[in-house]
Amino acid sequence: MESTRESFNPWSVVNVVFHHLAAQGLHPILGGDDPGGPAADLLRALGIDPAAEGDRQVGEKVKRHLAEIRAAMFEEQDS
């Protein structure tokens, strides 16, 4: 059964925010508190499941691509 909920890596949110702040001339510093927790909370508030694996859609696309490669390789061996 395929999940209908979206997932996203919270560290991607941290990266986007970090670069946005730096582009605004601010100097964010990583190394104090862990920003992953608040980033995960933000994703949950937006209805997105935080997942270290990242975006579910990207993962599914990779799985489909690997299946296509396997199919092509096995077809080639059978010929």
Side-chain angles (χ1 to χ4, degrees):
M1 184 171 153
E2 191 172 323
S3 172
T4 57
R5 295 203 35 103
E6 294 294 329
S7 64
F8 203 78
N9 188 327
W11 285 98
S12 296
V13 174
V14 171
N15 187 45
V16 168
V17 170
F18 185 91
H19 286 287
H20 174 75
L21 293 174
Q24 299 300 314
L26 300 173
H27 304 287
I29 298 171
L30 293 177
D33 293 335
D34 179 4
D41 291 341
L42 174 61
L43 288 173
R44 282 187 201 96
L46 296 172
I48 301 170
D49 291 328
E53 303 84 34
D55 185 350
R56 180 186 54 81
Q57 291 175 339
V58 171
E60 292 300 318
K61 183 178 177 183
V62 168
K63 287 179 190 176
R64 283 192 303 274
H65 183 67
L66 290 174
E68 291 169 5
I69 292 171
R70 280 192 296 275
M73 292 300 293
F74 286 125
E75 282 180 21
E76 195 174 284
Q77 291 177 359
D78 292 341
S79 304

